[in-house]
Amino acid sequence: MTAATHSTLFPQVPDTADAVLDGLDPEQRAVATALHGPVCVLAGAGTGKTRAITHRIAYGVRAGILQPSSVLAVTFTNRAAGEMRGRLRQLGAGGVQARTFHSAALRQLQYFWPKAVGGSLPRLIDRKIQLVADAAAACRIRLDRGELRDVTAEIEWSKVTQTVPSDYAAAAAKTGRESPRAPAEIAQLYATYEDVKRDRSLIDFEDVLLLTVGILQDRHDIADQVRSQYQHFVVDEYQDVSPLQQRLLELWLGERDSLCVVGDASQTIYSFTGATPDHLLDFRTRHPGATVVKLVRDYRSSPQVVHLANGLLSQARGRAADHRLELISQRAPGPEPVYAEYTDEPAEAEGAARRIRDLIASGVPAAEIAVLFRTNSQSEIYEQALADAGVPYQLRGAERFFDRPEVRKAGSALRAAARFGANDSLLDDVVDLPSQVRAVLSGEGWTGQPPAGSGAVRERWESLAALVHLAQDFAAAKQDATLGDLVAELDERAGAQHAPTVQGVTLASLHSAKGLEWDVVFLVGVAEGMMPITYAKTDEQIEEERRLLYVGVTRAREHLFVSWALSRSPGGRANRRPSRFLDGLRPGSVTTAGRTSGGGPGGVERGIGSSGGTVVRRTSRTPARCRVCGRTLTDAGEMKLMRCEDCPSDMDEGLYERLRDWRAVQAQRSGQPAFCVFTDKTLMAIAETVPDDGGELARIPGVGVRKLNRFGADVLAICAGQEPAEDRQED
């Protein structure tokens, strides 16, 4: 052997079965030696779960207890499956099947289809979009590109939750799922999509699982053949299993219990795709005799990072939180997490870029640094800031901003308007640059208010909104700028982003960062409205947002930077506040009461003052106190807000802007100044408390009985995300 074969890249194969166990900690060793009966491994972030289960398989094979060909290890990504196969080979356990659920099912389906059905297996399609578009055309329903993606996602969710078209509306209502179109339309599109697919002899990825389940259920002889082949199963990332995958696993197992599952309920962040931690949390109920091993020794992150991660989960509520794991770092102490507040988003991006440039100059490899954000639409400003700082970067899980289809199309529209604007009726009544851009992009789908919910439509809107904001900032910096100047600026910005991707800083959404780790992590935009995201309304949705931030924190090995901006753009209203998830964790903050449904500290409701929340209000017997810092309030404006002017706000910015727009209409109708409807402070208080009923609204200073009777219905409708009555009778 050469010296290279003894390196960490090519470790020497253990000589004996017992040697496979060398280097495992006591809990990992317990996993590796628990080879009989059902086993459940609850593995916290960075605790070496892949190491534990691969050594378990290898030990069983090397000890002669498991036959390599009889073991099927399943996980959720091809990358993870490939890593598992590589580790098993290094441990002397080649021949073990390590696959994704879809890969394993497709292999079986291809083999058994001629016997079970006859003929050749229908062709598997890579993407559904075109078929969904064809189904929409057949239904005479017009869908734009974003809606096509959203409808496709609904069809995928329906199939993995084993929901047929006729049951879609009821299932969506039961789970509180927000449909991108009317549920009846989704059901019609889903049914027609299935018809189109069947007529063309095609199957999709969900069909691979559904058809395999169907064959194993109907053909006992085939099920027996599969079970004779695979007698021992290992499932990684078990918290992400969908109902359909769980059904397939049960059919593979039959009446046997030779199963080992590994997961962490606190890392469940894909519920929108049908994943549920219930199978993990119910494992011991289904298997009363199961061996349960908890891995809590964290080998990835420093004690300081682990302390923050534990703190996040300590405030969590819900079933997954009841099974949280308290991590114990095994690394040497490192620096404390750094918290940074900026005046606006460009300053935040520039601040991160400066720190990154200094880190690289000090010797930290660019590839060991990541910037993680909540939505892909946040990437553009960090792409630009890094490009301006001369820092190479790579995007993971997202297209480059200027490569996105909607951005390219918008650029073409702006270029055409700059060249032929004199003949464009859209530009007849607009003179300033931002107004011109808004007019042009309105033809591409941009609106003054963001669309409800999440998904592709929202992402497309955010991309266009970023161009609108860019035009505003460009015009503010260059007073005489024309539309042609802006187009030239866009071209320059697009060109500046052609940085090498090798050894570049990683820009990624929190979802796409799952399973990865870096020496240095920047968590950016950690403010209310983005973390948790605005459209997370229910307790369950907000708790998943907390878990998403937990996943982000636990990606860092040593350095962690957490930041937020008080306003979106320079000179904007500084009415944002840090995420409620950081309350009591960042220096100078306190745990805010009234944020959790369970009555303890933490944050799961929309904001202070929501139903079930605790808000200190002035009465005739007690002084008004700031609900953030507790200081006695004397200023009338502060009393309306029930907080000091300088204390952070948890206001829903989108709601505040909708209230301001509504107020402007009411003022125009009545011929009175806007403040006669409601003052800015009262609107801010409403946007911070988000009242659910007239009683809560009436308790907000500045409302009163008269205004409650006159405007209450409209305000409550706006707070609930609905449109106010158009023809409300004036007093």
Side-chain angles (χ1 to χ4, degrees):
M1 289 186 180
T2 66
T5 60
H6 293 281
S7 71
T8 56
L9 292 176
F10 301 95
Q12 190 171 11
V13 175
D15 295 331
T16 64
D18 287 342
V20 172
L21 303 178
D22 291 346
L24 299 182
D25 67 31
E27 293 79 24
Q28 291 171 343
R29 181 179 285 256
V31 173
T33 54
L35 295 172
H36 301 286
V39 177
C40 179
V41 183
L42 302 177
T47 57
K49 66 178 179 65
T50 304
R51 176 180 175 84
I53 58 176
T54 52
H55 281 69
R56 178 181 187 271
I57 296 170
Y59 178 70
V61 169
R62 299 292 299 276
I65 299 172
L66 303 176
Q67 293 298 316
S69 60
S70 72
V71 180
L72 177 59
V74 289
T75 186
F76 284 82
T77 67
N78 289 319
R79 179 185 59 80
E83 180 185 354
M84 191 177 292
R85 287 193 296 269
R87 292 198 190 194
L88 289 169
R89 282 194 301 271
Q90 293 168 357
L91 293 170
V96 172
Q97 292 292 317
R99 297 180 175 273
T100 65
F101 270 101
H102 284 88
S103 174
L106 180 60
R107 194 163 180 256
Q108 294 174 19
L109 193 61
Q110 290 170 329
Y111 183 81
F112 290 112
W113 185 268
K115 178 179 180 179
V117 181
S120 300
L121 181 69
R123 182 168 65 87
L124 176 64
I125 57 173
D126 293 329
R127 300 176 71 245
K128 301 181 181 67
I129 289 287
Q130 187 55 55
L131 286 186
V132 175
D134 293 345
C139 296
R140 297 187 177 181
I141 297 174
R142 187 171 182 177
L143 301 176
D144 63 24
R145 186 182 63 86
E147 289 175 314
L148 279 172
R149 285 176 53 191
D150 291 342
V151 170
T152 299
E154 287 304 291
I155 291 174
E156 291 174 350
W157 173 81
S158 299
K159 297 182 80 164
V160 301
T161 56
Q162 303 178 84
T163 302
V164 298
S166 58
D167 294 339
Y168 171 79
K174 182 179 180 181
T175 57
R177 194 169 181 86
E178 186 172 324
S179 301
R181 304 277 296 209
E185 281 190 331
I186 299 292
Q188 181 187 8
L189 289 165
Y190 178 14
T192 306
Y193 165 81
E194 291 296 313
D195 292 339
V196 170
K197 186 161 49 67
R198 186 166 45 251
D199 291 343
R200 300 179 187 179
S201 296
L202 302 171
I203 59 174
D204 59 29
F205 277 101
E206 289 71 41
D207 289 330
V208 170
L209 302 183
L210 285 164
L211 291 170
T212 305
V213 164
I215 289 174
L216 295 179
Q217 284 181 160
D218 296 342
R219 293 291 299 268
H220 298 294
D221 57 330
I222 293 177
D224 289 342
Q225 192 173 343
V226 171
R227 291 166 191 158
S228 66
Q229 168 71 48
Y230 297 115
Q231 300 169 9
H232 189 86
F233 297 86
V234 177
V235 184
D236 193 12
E237 302 287 2
Y238 194 53
Q239 78 277 353
D240 290 332
V241 165
S242 70
L244 179 56
Q245 290 165 332
Q246 175 64 22
R247 180 59 185 144
L248 178 59
L249 178 61
E250 292 168 353
L251 289 167
W252 282 341
L253 272 169
E255 299 299 320
R256 301 166 299 173
D257 62 1
S258 187
L259 171 66
C260 174
V261 301
V262 188
D264 179 10
S266 295
Q267 296 189 67
T268 305
I269 59 173
Y270 296 109
S271 65
F272 59 90
T273 66
T276 171
D278 289 346
H279 305 301
L280 175 66
L281 300 178
D282 293 337
F283 190 83
R284 199 158 194 174
T285 302
R286 296 195 313 274
H287 304 280
T291 298
V292 178
V293 182
K294 296 181 180 180
L295 302 183
V296 296
R297 300 175 195 251
D298 188 319
Y299 296 95
R300 174 189 299 157
S301 303
S302 69
Q304 288 73 17
V305 173
V306 166
H307 178 71
L308 176 57
N310 286 336
L312 281 172
L313 291 188
S314 71
Q315 299 181 11
R317 294 295 179 268
R319 193 171 182 225
D322 293 339
H323 295 77
R324 59 180 173 263
L325 300 169
E326 187 84 8
L327 299 178
I328 304 171
S329 176
Q330 305 299 298
R331 294 191 54 169
E336 290 290 338
V338 175
Y339 299 87
E341 183 175 276
Y342 294 90
T343 55
D344 51 65
E345 289 181 2
E348 183 181 9
E350 291 164 7
R354 283 195 301 271
R355 287 182 184 271
I356 290 170
R357 185 181 57 199
D358 292 344
L359 285 166
I360 294 173
S362 70
V364 178
E368 287 299 340
I369 303 173
V371 178
L372 306 182
F373 33 75
R374 177 60 180 84
T375 67
N376 287 331
S377 64
Q378 295 169 271
S379 71
E380 188 270 340
I381 195 170
Y382 289 92
E383 295 174 48
Q384 187 60 46
L386 291 174
D388 289 345
V391 175
Y393 66 88
Q394 56 183 330
L395 282 167
R396 181 180 181 87
E399 299 164 292
R400 289 177 181 270
F401 179 80
F402 286 102
D403 288 342
R404 296 172 190 168
E406 63 269 22
V407 175
R408 291 202 305 268
K409 189 176 178 184
S412 297
L414 291 170
R415 190 171 289 106
R419 190 174 302 171
F420 309 111
N423 300 319
D424 192 338
S425 60
L426 284 173
L427 303 180
D428 286 348
D429 299 323
V430 294
V431 290
D432 64 302
L433 176 60
S435 298
Q436 290 176 331
V437 171
R438 286 193 291 268
V440 172
L441 296 188
S442 64
E444 302 299 321
W446 178 82
T447 58
Q449 292 294 329
S454 58
V457 172
R458 177 85 183 204
E459 290 176 7
R460 184 172 182 272
W461 181 89
E462 287 173 339
S463 294
L464 297 177
L467 292 175
V468 172
H469 299 329
L470 187 63
Q472 293 169 346
D473 296 341
F474 185 65
K478 190 175 180 181
Q479 298 294 329
D480 300 327
T482 65
L483 200 53
D485 294 333
L486 177 65
V487 169
E489 173 71 9
L490 292 176
D491 290 340
E492 287 184 19
R493 285 173 175 254
Q497 292 170 5
H498 295 161
T501 56
V502 179
Q503 289 300 310
V505 172
T506 299
L507 296 177
S509 70
L510 288 165
H511 280 102
S512 64
K514 178 76 164 61
L516 304 174
E517 58 187 72
W518 296 268
D519 285 344
V520 184
V521 168
F522 287 78
L523 293 176
V524 299
V526 188
E528 286 292 308
M530 194 58 73
M531 181 59 66
I533 199 77
T534 304
Y535 49 78
K537 298 296 186 184
T538 67
D539 289 355
E540 292 81 5
Q541 290 169 338
I542 291 176
E543 283 305 305
E544 182 149 335
E545 292 288 298
R546 185 195 304 277
R547 295 194 296 270
L548 190 56
L549 183 58
Y550 171 80
V551 166
V553 168
T554 55
R555 299 310 94 195
R557 298 191 189 103
E558 185 172 6
H559 296 277
L560 179 63
F561 298 87
V562 184
S563 64
W564 58 91
L566 296 178
S567 67
R568 183 193 60 77
S569 57
R573 189 181 296 110
N575 52 16
R576 293 180 177 177
R577 69 172 297 268
S579 169
R580 70 189 75 175
F581 300 147
L582 299 178
D583 289 348
L585 301 176
R586 60 185 174 86
S589 69
V590 295
T591 300
T592 307
R595 290 195 182 277
T596 67
S597 58
V604 298
E605 296 194 346
R606 289 179 293 183
I608 293 178
S610 300
S611 177
T614 301
V615 181
V616 180
R617 301 194 182 280
R618 187 170 74 163
T619 69
S620 58
R621 290 172 295 197
T622 59
R625 296 187 183 278
C626 174
R627 54 186 166 79
V628 179
C629 70
R631 184 179 69 82
T632 299
L633 301 176
T634 57
D635 178 79
E638 291 182 341
M639 290 180 189
K640 281 190 175 182
L641 293 176
M642 294 311 300
R643 63 171 175 81
C644 302
E645 193 75 45
D646 295 330
C647 281
S649 165
D650 56 358
M651 183 177 69
D652 183 330
E653 293 183 59
L655 173 57
Y656 178 69
E657 293 300 330
R658 291 194 297 276
L659 288 168
R660 281 174 58 88
D661 292 342
W662 165 84
R663 182 183 65 175
V665 172
Q666 302 309 314
Q668 185 177 18
R669 285 181 180 177
S670 63
Q672 295 179 314
F675 68 82
C676 291
V677 181
F678 285 120
T679 65
D680 283 350
K681 285 291 196 302
T682 299
L683 291 187
M684 290 177 69
I686 293 172
E688 289 185 358
T689 57
V690 194
D692 288 328
D693 54 42
E696 289 186 1
L697 179 58
R699 287 195 293 272
I700 295 175
V703 177
V705 175
R706 186 179 65 83
K707 290 188 178 181
L708 177 67
N709 292 334
R710 186 176 184 183
F711 302 122
D714 279 3
V715 171
L716 291 173
I718 295 170
C719 289
Q722 302 166 357
E723 292 294 327
E726 291 287 338
D727 300 319
R728 181 180 53 78
Q729 185 67 35
E730 294 289 329
D731 286 353

